[in-house]
Amino acid sequence: MTTAFDTSFAATGHPPAAPGRQWVNSFSALGPEFHTRLEPRPLASPYWVGRNHALARELGLEDSWLESAEMLDALTGNQPLPGASPIASVYSGHQFGTWAGQLGDGRAILLGEIETRSGCQEIQLKGAGPTPYSRMGDGRAVLRSSIREFLCSEAMHGLGIPTTRALCVTGSDAPVRREEIETAAVVTRIAPSFIRFGHFEHFAHRNQLAQLKTLADYVIDRFYPDCRQAAHPYAALLQAVSERTAHMAAAWQAVGFCHGVMNTDNMSILGLTIDYGPFQFLDAFDPGHICNHSDEQGRYAYNRQPNMAYWNLFCLGQALLPLIDDQEHALAALGSYKTVFPGALQARMRAKLGLVDERGGDTELIEDTFRLLAANKVDYTIFWRRLCGFTAQSGHEPVRDLFFDLESFNAWALQYSDRIRHADGAQRADLMLKHNPKYVLRNHLGEEAIQAAKLKDFSKVDTLLTVLQSPFEEHPGHDSLAGFPPDWAASIAISCSS
Ligand code: AMP
Ligand code: MG
């Protein structure tokens, strides 16, 4: 169903908020079993908190999207967007390893999909009020977590990691109760689809096989068309999702990203990083690091993420089994994760080390590097960025300075020097500078931007957005954003509360 965007505005006398946009509401066309129609709930006196002009340009959106008062209202949920047909979708899922039953968009409202320069994209307002799936929640998102999601999704994109995107954050002084009273915000999220593993689990668990098939066919036709040609299209879908998830997980591990809440309702069917909550980029390297204060068992610790991704894929496989109809095919499809993940991680780690070719002993070198970093609790991002300047011939003080066990470091440096001895130094440095970011969204950087934003100073949000969108570049004047975390960073406790 395609609706011209600007015609209905003609009747209201308002200028078109986003002239010429074509809405293609294909997800909402799947049927009433998939969603509930509803309108976002308004928030008083909204204001812009963060605007992503680069994404707006990339999507080919008109300037009015991030400039006009009408769009400020529309993207806060205070005014309908003509042509949109807002819905909240239903899904289920496994949370922290146990079946949680029905969940759903408890605070996210999908406005619909628009045609953009980057293909068809869904537009979702997160924090736009209660839905039938809110359970005990208030349907809101607080300013703090909305800024974190806005900045981190764009930081991930800048790092080349598949992710949902964020167009803007709007705020309101409307109070929202969490551990303390905070204020409300809405993130406008963008993705080709927000379908999660949990959408499939929902229909499988209820034995609604017609809807399960409708959903799988929709995902195949829209996002994985090659699977249609396969001998077993639904097994091919499972394999394709497993491979994309493997690439995503490898990218997370390589950059030191901890997601924090890898429940199956937070796993994208497109292999996108989705639902930014208590995430963290590692400061000092600690393989067992748990970033989510609510995760007492460490289920989603940094070094468990790859296995948890596989566990989640297994749930997806079980949900798809009625369509695949052959356990062997399902297991074979899932098996691809076990080859793609290590290969993808190795490739990323080789690039971080500046190894242009593949040689025997690389696996050991990578493992030794991780071991050395862990034993010395070395700052993960700073180590890799400094390593870009390491040469086998000259000294490597800036790297050595990061270690307290110099004997181990010297042994490792010898091993590494030996490996890169015959490499072209310029080519190696070039590769490394493209794979070892200077800037990541550390917790304390987000925290500083949040504290300023609470006082209505949004300049730090703006600066971080700009820098994090090209994290491999130098940003003169912003070296402080690439420094060691201050001591107080260790006391930042981020939980599921958002
Ligand atoms: P999360 O772990 O943040 O992905 O959330 C798990 C589920 O709880 C999802 O279905 C969310 O939509 C829902 N949820 C989280 N916070 C709220 C809230 N404040 N109001 C309503 N639903 C929420
Ligand atoms: Mg979620």
Side-chain angles (χ1 to χ4, degrees):
M1 183 175 53
T2 305
T3 327
F5 195 85
D6 42 0
T7 47
S8 33
F9 250 117
T12 68
H14 293 297
R21 282 291 132 197
Q22 298 292 308
W23 289 88
V24 188
N25 297 321
S26 68
F27 182 78
S28 67
L30 292 182
E33 295 88 354
F34 293 81
H35 65 256
T36 301
R37 287 192 185 281
L38 80 176
E39 292 295 330
R41 192 77 63 84
L43 277 171
S45 314
Y47 42 84
W48 297 109
V49 172
R51 283 178 268 186
N52 188 350
H53 295 282
L55 176 58
R57 274 194 300 275
E58 202 179 308
L59 297 174
L61 299 176
E62 295 70 17
D63 290 344
S64 64
W65 273 79
L66 295 180
E67 301 299 341
S68 69
E70 284 86 356
M71 286 306 284
L72 171 62
D73 265 331
L75 297 176
T76 310
N78 295 355
Q79 171 175 308
L81 274 175
S85 56
I87 59 167
S89 79
V90 64
Y91 50 80
S92 295
H94 283 84
Q95 297 187 317
F96 291 93
T98 46
W99 177 246
Q102 185 196 295
L103 303 163
D105 294 327
R107 52 176 167 172
I109 295 182
L110 178 66
L111 298 181
E113 304 136 59
I114 54 168
E115 303 272 14
T116 77
R117 246 182 233 154
S118 318
C120 216
Q121 300 285 338
E122 290 189 347
I123 301 179
Q124 197 189 62
L125 303 184
K126 181 171 178 180
T131 78
Y133 316 114
S134 297
R135 297 178 294 160
M136 307 300 283
D138 55 10
R140 292 302 180 191
V142 296
L143 180 67
R144 159 179 60 85
S145 62
S146 303
I147 288 174
R148 279 171 56 85
E149 168 140 16
F150 175 67
L151 291 178
C152 196
S153 54
E154 288 310 298
M156 293 294 266
H157 180 73
L159 291 164
I161 301 175
T163 177
T164 62
R165 306 288 304 272
L167 184 64
C168 61
V169 182
T170 66
S172 160
D173 289 341
V176 177
R177 182 179 292 276
R178 293 293 180 264
E179 281 80 4
E180 50 193 47
I181 302 290
E182 302 188 45
T183 61
V186 177
V187 188
T188 299
R189 302 201 293 190
I190 309 278
S193 171
F194 287 92
I195 295 176
R196 298 134 194 278
F197 292 7
H199 280 95
F200 289 87
E201 291 179 280
H202 180 74
F203 296 110
H205 190 81
R206 294 179 170 205
N207 210 24
Q208 288 180 272
L209 299 187
Q211 282 75 26
L212 182 67
K213 183 172 182 307
T214 299
L215 185 64
D217 286 337
Y218 173 78
V219 169
I220 288 176
D221 292 340
R222 248 180 125 70
F223 306 110
Y224 294 95
D226 291 352
C227 295
R228 191 58 74 201
Q229 318 317 323
H232 305 285
Y234 303 111
L237 172 63
L238 181 59
Q239 176 163 339
V241 177
S242 300
E243 289 172 5
R244 281 206 203 176
T245 306
H247 282 288
M248 178 189 76
W252 288 2
Q253 297 309 110
V255 80
F257 175 79
C258 307
H259 181 282
V261 206
M262 293 174 68
N263 294 331
T264 58
D265 55 306
N266 290 339
M267 295 293 292
S268 151
I269 202 71
L270 302 184
L272 307 173
T273 313
I274 192 172
D275 279 12
Y276 292 85
F279 68 82
Q280 186 179 3
F281 285 89
L282 294 176
D283 290 321
F285 185 67
D286 170 12
H289 184 70
I290 305 162
C291 65
N292 179 356
H293 248 63
S294 319
D295 181 10
E296 278 151 27
Q297 307 296 315
R299 179 179 174 84
Y300 299 130
Y302 167 76
N303 59 0
R304 299 195 69 195
Q305 294 188 127
N307 281 347
M308 289 300 109
Y310 184 74
W311 194 94
N312 291 337
L313 284 163
F314 199 87
C315 291
L316 177 66
Q318 273 182 322
L320 286 171
L321 206 51
L323 304 179
I324 296 175
D325 210 24
D326 183 327
Q327 203 161 329
E328 293 308 312
H329 289 150
L331 285 172
L334 285 170
S336 63
Y337 181 88
K338 294 186 177 174
T339 51
V340 174
F341 171 76
L345 182 59
Q346 285 250 346
R348 284 185 178 263
M349 296 315 297
R350 268 202 307 274
K352 286 175 84 69
L353 285 162
L355 311 180
V356 288
D357 57 348
E358 194 176 341
R359 286 201 212 153
D362 285 352
T363 308
E364 289 72 21
L365 176 62
I366 292 166
E367 285 171 2
D368 287 349
T369 309
F370 278 130
R371 257 194 299 276
L372 184 75
L373 294 179
N376 285 267
K377 300 185 169 51
V378 175
D379 188 278
Y380 191 70
T381 305
I382 291 177
F383 166 77
W384 288 107
R385 190 69 182 187
R386 287 194 186 178
L387 194 67
C388 302
F390 182 106
T391 61
Q393 297 78 26
S394 70
H396 27 259
E397 275 70 28
V399 188
R400 194 200 324 259
D401 284 352
L402 298 169
F403 293 82
F404 54 78
D405 175 2
L406 291 182
E407 209 175 307
S408 305
F409 171 75
N410 288 336
W412 177 88
L414 212 61
Q415 182 188 2
Y416 182 49
S417 298
D418 195 45
R419 175 63 176 87
I420 62 175
R421 192 170 309 281
H422 302 295
D424 174 335
Q427 192 189 12
R428 202 185 94 244
D430 185 55
L431 179 69
M432 291 175 84
L433 287 167
K434 288 186 181 128
H435 286 85
N436 295 311
K438 178 163 178 174
Y439 300 95
V440 295
L441 180 61
R442 296 182 192 254
N443 266 351
H444 75 276
L445 298 175
E447 195 58 31
E448 285 169 347
I450 290 162
Q451 293 311 329
K454 284 183 175 173
L455 303 172
K456 301 275 184 340
D457 170 5
F458 307 117
S459 59
K460 290 190 175 182
V461 173
D462 222 38
T463 304
L464 275 177
L465 179 68
T466 306
V467 168
L468 293 169
Q469 281 180 327
S470 50
F472 300 101
E473 309 291 320
E474 294 291 334
H475 292 273
H478 294 301
D479 277 1
S480 62
L481 302 177
F484 290 98
D487 289 344
W488 60 265
S491 63
I492 301 172
I494 313 249
S495 69
C496 278
S497 159
S498 59

PDB file of all heavy atoms in Angstrom, residues 123-152:
ATOM      1  N   ILE A 123      10.458   3.680  10.092  1.00  0.00           N
ATOM      2  CA  ILE A 123      10.674   4.791  11.032  1.00  0.00           C
ATOM      3  C   ILE A 123       9.929   4.462  12.310  1.00  0.00           C
ATOM      4  O   ILE A 123       8.717   4.226  12.291  1.00  0.00           O
ATOM      5  CB  ILE A 123      10.157   6.109  10.452  1.00  0.00           C
ATOM      6  CG1 ILE A 123      10.882   6.385   9.137  1.00  0.00           C
ATOM      7  CG2 ILE A 123      10.363   7.258  11.435  1.00  0.00           C
ATOM      8  CD1 ILE A 123      10.438   7.645   8.468  1.00  0.00           C
ATOM      9  N   GLN A 124      10.654   4.437  13.399  1.00  0.00           N
ATOM     10  CA  GLN A 124      10.065   4.008  14.663  1.00  0.00           C
ATOM     11  C   GLN A 124      10.351   5.059  15.730  1.00  0.00           C
ATOM     12  O   GLN A 124      11.474   5.568  15.814  1.00  0.00           O
ATOM     13  CB  GLN A 124      10.720   2.675  15.052  1.00  0.00           C
ATOM     14  CG  GLN A 124       9.965   1.892  16.086  1.00  0.00           C
ATOM     15  CD  GLN A 124      10.762   0.701  16.581  1.00  0.00           C
ATOM     16  OE1 GLN A 124      11.834   0.857  17.148  1.00  0.00           O
ATOM     17  NE2 GLN A 124      10.230  -0.489  16.386  1.00  0.00           N
ATOM     18  N   LEU A 125       9.340   5.375  16.519  1.00  0.00           N
ATOM     19  CA  LEU A 125       9.536   6.299  17.638  1.00  0.00           C
ATOM     20  C   LEU A 125       9.663   5.476  18.917  1.00  0.00           C
ATOM     21  O   LEU A 125       8.717   4.772  19.296  1.00  0.00           O
ATOM     22  CB  LEU A 125       8.346   7.256  17.761  1.00  0.00           C
ATOM     23  CG  LEU A 125       8.012   8.096  16.524  1.00  0.00           C
ATOM     24  CD1 LEU A 125       6.874   9.076  16.844  1.00  0.00           C
ATOM     25  CD2 LEU A 125       9.233   8.860  16.021  1.00  0.00           C
ATOM     26  N   LYS A 126      10.824   5.536  19.563  1.00  0.00           N
ATOM     27  CA  LYS A 126      11.012   4.772  20.802  1.00  0.00           C
ATOM     28  C   LYS A 126      10.784   5.694  21.993  1.00  0.00           C
ATOM     29  O   LYS A 126      11.462   6.714  22.122  1.00  0.00           O
ATOM     30  CB  LYS A 126      12.424   4.179  20.849  1.00  0.00           C
ATOM     31  CG  LYS A 126      12.683   3.346  22.097  1.00  0.00           C
ATOM     32  CD  LYS A 126      14.001   2.610  21.992  1.00  0.00           C
ATOM     33  CE  LYS A 126      14.289   1.821  23.265  1.00  0.00           C
ATOM     34  NZ  LYS A 126      15.563   1.099  23.170  1.00  0.00           N
ATOM     35  N   GLY A 127       9.819   5.322  22.813  1.00  0.00           N
ATOM     36  CA  GLY A 127       9.475   6.135  23.983  1.00  0.00           C
ATOM     37  C   GLY A 127       8.226   6.961  23.758  1.00  0.00           C
ATOM     38  O   GLY A 127       7.993   7.951  24.450  1.00  0.00           O
ATOM     39  N   ALA A 128       7.419   6.536  22.764  1.00  0.00           N
ATOM     40  CA  ALA A 128       6.279   7.359  22.329  1.00  0.00           C
ATOM     41  C   ALA A 128       4.975   7.013  23.039  1.00  0.00           C
ATOM     42  O   ALA A 128       3.898   7.308  22.541  1.00  0.00           O
ATOM     43  CB  ALA A 128       6.113   7.259  20.820  1.00  0.00           C
ATOM     44  N   GLY A 129       5.074   6.366  24.190  1.00  0.00           N
ATOM     45  CA  GLY A 129       3.862   6.130  24.975  1.00  0.00           C
ATOM     46  C   GLY A 129       3.482   4.668  25.060  1.00  0.00           C
ATOM     47  O   GLY A 129       4.026   3.824  24.340  1.00  0.00           O
ATOM     48  N   PRO A 130       2.551   4.350  25.953  1.00  0.00           N
ATOM     49  CA  PRO A 130       2.191   2.954  26.203  1.00  0.00           C
ATOM     50  C   PRO A 130       1.500   2.293  25.018  1.00  0.00           C
ATOM     51  O   PRO A 130       0.878   2.959  24.194  1.00  0.00           O
ATOM     52  CB  PRO A 130       1.251   3.031  27.407  1.00  0.00           C
ATOM     53  CG  PRO A 130       0.793   4.441  27.475  1.00  0.00           C
ATOM     54  CD  PRO A 130       1.834   5.285  26.812  1.00  0.00           C
ATOM     55  N   THR A 131       1.635   0.985  24.968  1.00  0.00           N
ATOM     56  CA  THR A 131       1.001   0.172  23.928  1.00  0.00           C
ATOM     57  C   THR A 131       0.369  -1.029  24.639  1.00  0.00           C
ATOM     58  O   THR A 131       0.610  -1.236  25.836  1.00  0.00           O
ATOM     59  CB  THR A 131       2.054  -0.347  22.920  1.00  0.00           C
ATOM     60  OG1 THR A 131       2.743  -1.461  23.536  1.00  0.00           O
ATOM     61  CG2 THR A 131       3.072   0.708  22.518  1.00  0.00           C
ATOM     62  N   PRO A 132      -0.370  -1.840  23.927  1.00  0.00           N
ATOM     63  CA  PRO A 132      -0.935  -3.035  24.580  1.00  0.00           C
ATOM     64  C   PRO A 132       0.146  -3.998  25.070  1.00  0.00           C
ATOM     65  O   PRO A 132      -0.152  -4.951  25.778  1.00  0.00           O
ATOM     66  CB  PRO A 132      -1.768  -3.683  23.473  1.00  0.00           C
ATOM     67  CG  PRO A 132      -2.029  -2.590  22.496  1.00  0.00           C
ATOM     68  CD  PRO A 132      -0.848  -1.678  22.556  1.00  0.00           C
ATOM     69  N   TYR A 133       1.415  -3.764  24.672  1.00  0.00           N
ATOM     70  CA  TYR A 133       2.499  -4.666  25.051  1.00  0.00           C
ATOM     71  C   TYR A 133       3.408  -4.061  26.123  1.00  0.00           C
ATOM     72  O   TYR A 133       4.507  -4.544  26.357  1.00  0.00           O
ATOM     73  CB  TYR A 133       3.322  -5.039  23.798  1.00  0.00           C
ATOM     74  CG  TYR A 133       2.425  -5.358  22.623  1.00  0.00           C
ATOM     75  CD1 TYR A 133       2.402  -4.547  21.499  1.00  0.00           C
ATOM     76  CD2 TYR A 133       1.548  -6.448  22.669  1.00  0.00           C
ATOM     77  CE1 TYR A 133       1.547  -4.815  20.434  1.00  0.00           C
ATOM     78  CE2 TYR A 133       0.680  -6.719  21.620  1.00  0.00           C
ATOM     79  CZ  TYR A 133       0.687  -5.895  20.506  1.00  0.00           C
ATOM     80  OH  TYR A 133      -0.168  -6.160  19.472  1.00  0.00           O
ATOM     81  N   SER A 134       2.919  -2.986  26.754  1.00  0.00           N
ATOM     82  CA  SER A 134       3.775  -2.296  27.734  1.00  0.00           C
ATOM     83  C   SER A 134       3.894  -3.062  29.044  1.00  0.00           C
ATOM     84  O   SER A 134       4.759  -2.755  29.861  1.00  0.00           O
ATOM     85  CB  SER A 134       3.235  -0.900  28.025  1.00  0.00           C
ATOM     86  OG  SER A 134       3.262  -0.103  26.868  1.00  0.00           O
ATOM     87  N   ARG A 135       3.028  -4.031  29.258  1.00  0.00           N
ATOM     88  CA  ARG A 135       2.994  -4.756  30.534  1.00  0.00           C
ATOM     89  C   ARG A 135       2.964  -3.737  31.686  1.00  0.00           C
ATOM     90  O   ARG A 135       2.097  -2.905  31.715  1.00  0.00           O
ATOM     91  CB  ARG A 135       4.183  -5.734  30.625  1.00  0.00           C
ATOM     92  CG  ARG A 135       4.103  -6.804  29.520  1.00  0.00           C
ATOM     93  CD  ARG A 135       5.264  -7.748  29.531  1.00  0.00           C
ATOM     94  NE  ARG A 135       6.494  -7.054  29.191  1.00  0.00           N
ATOM     95  CZ  ARG A 135       7.706  -7.477  29.464  1.00  0.00           C
ATOM     96  NH1 ARG A 135       7.880  -8.619  30.104  1.00  0.00           N
ATOM     97  NH2 ARG A 135       8.765  -6.788  29.099  1.00  0.00           N
ATOM     98  N   MET A 136       3.949  -3.762  32.581  1.00  0.00           N
ATOM     99  CA  MET A 136       3.908  -2.823  33.712  1.00  0.00           C
ATOM    100  C   MET A 136       4.596  -1.499  33.383  1.00  0.00           C
ATOM    101  O   MET A 136       4.656  -0.603  34.224  1.00  0.00           O
ATOM    102  CB  MET A 136       4.597  -3.445  34.943  1.00  0.00           C
ATOM    103  CG  MET A 136       4.094  -4.816  35.342  1.00  0.00           C
ATOM    104  SD  MET A 136       2.341  -4.786  35.737  1.00  0.00           S
ATOM    105  CE  MET A 136       2.432  -4.065  37.365  1.00  0.00           C
ATOM    106  N   GLY A 137       5.129  -1.382  32.187  1.00  0.00           N
ATOM    107  CA  GLY A 137       5.933  -0.200  31.839  1.00  0.00           C
ATOM    108  C   GLY A 137       5.075   0.998  31.468  1.00  0.00           C
ATOM    109  O   GLY A 137       3.873   0.879  31.214  1.00  0.00           O
ATOM    110  N   ASP A 138       5.721   2.155  31.424  1.00  0.00           N
ATOM    111  CA  ASP A 138       4.991   3.396  31.153  1.00  0.00           C
ATOM    112  C   ASP A 138       5.068   3.821  29.685  1.00  0.00           C
ATOM    113  O   ASP A 138       4.544   4.860  29.303  1.00  0.00           O
ATOM    114  CB  ASP A 138       5.534   4.529  32.046  1.00  0.00           C
ATOM    115  CG  ASP A 138       7.046   4.718  31.888  1.00  0.00           C
ATOM    116  OD1 ASP A 138       7.629   4.109  30.968  1.00  0.00           O
ATOM    117  OD2 ASP A 138       7.627   5.466  32.685  1.00  0.00           O
ATOM    118  N   GLY A 139       5.755   3.034  28.874  1.00  0.00           N
ATOM    119  CA  GLY A 139       5.833   3.364  27.454  1.00  0.00           C
ATOM    120  C   GLY A 139       6.825   4.471  27.136  1.00  0.00           C
ATOM    121  O   GLY A 139       6.925   4.917  25.990  1.00  0.00           O
ATOM    122  N   ARG A 140       7.549   4.894  28.137  1.00  0.00           N
ATOM    123  CA  ARG A 140       8.467   6.009  27.940  1.00  0.00           C
ATOM    124  C   ARG A 140       9.928   5.569  27.954  1.00  0.00           C
ATOM    125  O   ARG A 140      10.256   4.479  28.430  1.00  0.00           O
ATOM    126  CB  ARG A 140       8.255   7.063  29.051  1.00  0.00           C
ATOM    127  CG  ARG A 140       6.912   7.774  28.972  1.00  0.00           C
ATOM    128  CD  ARG A 140       6.747   8.464  27.637  1.00  0.00           C
ATOM    129  NE  ARG A 140       5.458   9.156  27.526  1.00  0.00           N
ATOM    130  CZ  ARG A 140       4.999   9.642  26.366  1.00  0.00           C
ATOM    131  NH1 ARG A 140       5.675   9.497  25.239  1.00  0.00           N
ATOM    132  NH2 ARG A 140       3.841  10.256  26.326  1.00  0.00           N
ATOM    133  N   ALA A 141      10.773   6.434  27.426  1.00  0.00           N
ATOM    134  CA  ALA A 141      12.229   6.268  27.525  1.00  0.00           C
ATOM    135  C   ALA A 141      12.764   7.556  28.132  1.00  0.00           C
ATOM    136  O   ALA A 141      12.253   8.640  27.830  1.00  0.00           O
ATOM    137  CB  ALA A 141      12.831   6.042  26.146  1.00  0.00           C
ATOM    138  N   VAL A 142      13.772   7.446  28.975  1.00  0.00           N
ATOM    139  CA  VAL A 142      14.304   8.660  29.612  1.00  0.00           C
ATOM    140  C   VAL A 142      15.386   9.293  28.738  1.00  0.00           C
ATOM    141  O   VAL A 142      15.950   8.650  27.852  1.00  0.00           O
ATOM    142  CB  VAL A 142      14.837   8.376  31.037  1.00  0.00           C
ATOM    143  CG1 VAL A 142      13.709   7.943  31.957  1.00  0.00           C
ATOM    144  CG2 VAL A 142      15.953   7.341  31.011  1.00  0.00           C
ATOM    145  N   LEU A 143      15.670  10.558  29.032  1.00  0.00           N
ATOM    146  CA  LEU A 143      16.662  11.323  28.262  1.00  0.00           C
ATOM    147  C   LEU A 143      18.010  10.596  28.229  1.00  0.00           C
ATOM    148  O   LEU A 143      18.635  10.445  27.178  1.00  0.00           O
ATOM    149  CB  LEU A 143      16.819  12.715  28.886  1.00  0.00           C
ATOM    150  CG  LEU A 143      17.827  13.651  28.194  1.00  0.00           C
ATOM    151  CD1 LEU A 143      17.348  14.042  26.810  1.00  0.00           C
ATOM    152  CD2 LEU A 143      18.077  14.891  29.047  1.00  0.00           C
ATOM    153  N   ARG A 144      18.433  10.158  29.423  1.00  0.00           N
ATOM    154  CA  ARG A 144      19.727   9.462  29.578  1.00  0.00           C
ATOM    155  C   ARG A 144      19.881   8.305  28.582  1.00  0.00           C
ATOM    156  O   ARG A 144      20.830   8.273  27.788  1.00  0.00           O
ATOM    157  CB  ARG A 144      19.761   8.961  31.034  1.00  0.00           C
ATOM    158  CG  ARG A 144      20.675   7.861  31.383  1.00  0.00           C
ATOM    159  CD  ARG A 144      20.543   7.544  32.889  1.00  0.00           C
ATOM    160  NE  ARG A 144      19.214   7.127  33.353  1.00  0.00           N
ATOM    161  CZ  ARG A 144      18.734   5.880  33.312  1.00  0.00           C
ATOM    162  NH1 ARG A 144      19.472   4.915  32.792  1.00  0.00           N
ATOM    163  NH2 ARG A 144      17.535   5.583  33.786  1.00  0.00           N
ATOM    164  N   SER A 145      18.932   7.373  28.587  1.00  0.00           N
ATOM    165  CA  SER A 145      19.087   6.186  27.742  1.00  0.00           C
ATOM    166  C   SER A 145      18.865   6.519  26.268  1.00  0.00           C
ATOM    167  O   SER A 145      19.413   5.865  25.385  1.00  0.00           O
ATOM    168  CB  SER A 145      18.138   5.084  28.197  1.00  0.00           C
ATOM    169  OG  SER A 145      16.803   5.501  28.070  1.00  0.00           O
ATOM    170  N   SER A 146      18.066   7.557  26.012  1.00  0.00           N
ATOM    171  CA  SER A 146      17.816   7.936  24.616  1.00  0.00           C
ATOM    172  C   SER A 146      19.070   8.541  23.990  1.00  0.00           C
ATOM    173  O   SER A 146      19.391   8.262  22.831  1.00  0.00           O
ATOM    174  CB  SER A 146      16.649   8.921  24.543  1.00  0.00           C
ATOM    175  OG  SER A 146      15.499   8.336  25.145  1.00  0.00           O
ATOM    176  N   ILE A 147      19.798   9.340  24.768  1.00  0.00           N
ATOM    177  CA  ILE A 147      21.061   9.904  24.263  1.00  0.00           C
ATOM    178  C   ILE A 147      22.056   8.768  24.019  1.00  0.00           C
ATOM    179  O   ILE A 147      22.754   8.735  23.004  1.00  0.00           O
ATOM    180  CB  ILE A 147      21.627  10.942  25.259  1.00  0.00           C
ATOM    181  CG1 ILE A 147      20.764  12.209  25.224  1.00  0.00           C
ATOM    182  CG2 ILE A 147      23.083  11.265  24.950  1.00  0.00           C
ATOM    183  CD1 ILE A 147      21.129  13.257  26.267  1.00  0.00           C
ATOM    184  N   ARG A 148      22.102   7.820  24.942  1.00  0.00           N
ATOM    185  CA  ARG A 148      23.017   6.691  24.763  1.00  0.00           C
ATOM    186  C   ARG A 148      22.685   5.913  23.488  1.00  0.00           C
ATOM    187  O   ARG A 148      23.563   5.550  22.715  1.00  0.00           O
ATOM    188  CB  ARG A 148      22.971   5.763  25.989  1.00  0.00           C
ATOM    189  CG  ARG A 148      23.828   6.267  27.157  1.00  0.00           C
ATOM    190  CD  ARG A 148      23.589   5.459  28.432  1.00  0.00           C
ATOM    191  NE  ARG A 148      23.807   4.020  28.266  1.00  0.00           N
ATOM    192  CZ  ARG A 148      24.994   3.417  28.366  1.00  0.00           C
ATOM    193  NH1 ARG A 148      26.080   4.120  28.637  1.00  0.00           N
ATOM    194  NH2 ARG A 148      25.107   2.108  28.213  1.00  0.00           N
ATOM    195  N   GLU A 149      21.417   5.656  23.250  1.00  0.00           N
ATOM    196  CA  GLU A 149      21.042   4.903  22.040  1.00  0.00           C
ATOM    197  C   GLU A 149      21.356   5.701  20.781  1.00  0.00           C
ATOM    198  O   GLU A 149      21.901   5.172  19.803  1.00  0.00           O
ATOM    199  CB  GLU A 149      19.556   4.518  22.076  1.00  0.00           C
ATOM    200  CG  GLU A 149      19.068   3.987  20.716  1.00  0.00           C
ATOM    201  CD  GLU A 149      18.113   2.817  20.789  1.00  0.00           C
ATOM    202  OE1 GLU A 149      17.557   2.560  21.854  1.00  0.00           O
ATOM    203  OE2 GLU A 149      17.948   2.145  19.748  1.00  0.00           O
ATOM    204  N   PHE A 150      20.998   6.984  20.805  1.00  0.00           N
ATOM    205  CA  PHE A 150      21.240   7.863  19.651  1.00  0.00           C
ATOM    206  C   PHE A 150      22.724   7.855  19.281  1.00  0.00           C
ATOM    207  O   PHE A 150      23.103   7.611  18.133  1.00  0.00           O
ATOM    208  CB  PHE A 150      20.772   9.276  20.024  1.00  0.00           C
ATOM    209  CG  PHE A 150      21.043  10.341  18.998  1.00  0.00           C
ATOM    210  CD1 PHE A 150      20.401  10.329  17.767  1.00  0.00           C
ATOM    211  CD2 PHE A 150      21.926  11.379  19.268  1.00  0.00           C
ATOM    212  CE1 PHE A 150      20.633  11.326  16.824  1.00  0.00           C
ATOM    213  CE2 PHE A 150      22.163  12.387  18.335  1.00  0.00           C
ATOM    214  CZ  PHE A 150      21.511  12.352  17.110  1.00  0.00           C
ATOM    215  N   LEU A 151      23.574   8.103  20.281  1.00  0.00           N
ATOM    216  CA  LEU A 151      25.016   8.201  20.007  1.00  0.00           C
ATOM    217  C   LEU A 151      25.617   6.847  19.655  1.00  0.00           C
ATOM    218  O   LEU A 151      26.444   6.740  18.760  1.00  0.00           O
ATOM    219  CB  LEU A 151      25.742   8.796  21.218  1.00  0.00           C
ATOM    220  CG  LEU A 151      25.463  10.272  21.499  1.00  0.00           C
ATOM    221  CD1 LEU A 151      26.199  10.717  22.761  1.00  0.00           C
ATOM    222  CD2 LEU A 151      25.883  11.155  20.307  1.00  0.00           C
ATOM    223  N   CYS A 152      25.188   5.808  20.368  1.00  0.00           N
ATOM    224  CA  CYS A 152      25.865   4.531  20.154  1.00  0.00           C
ATOM    225  C   CYS A 152      25.491   3.917  18.815  1.00  0.00           C
ATOM    226  O   CYS A 152      26.343   3.338  18.141  1.00  0.00           O
ATOM    227  CB  CYS A 152      25.593   3.545  21.275  1.00  0.00           C
ATOM    228  SG  CYS A 152      26.787   2.204  21.230  1.00  0.00           S
TER     229      CYS A 152
END
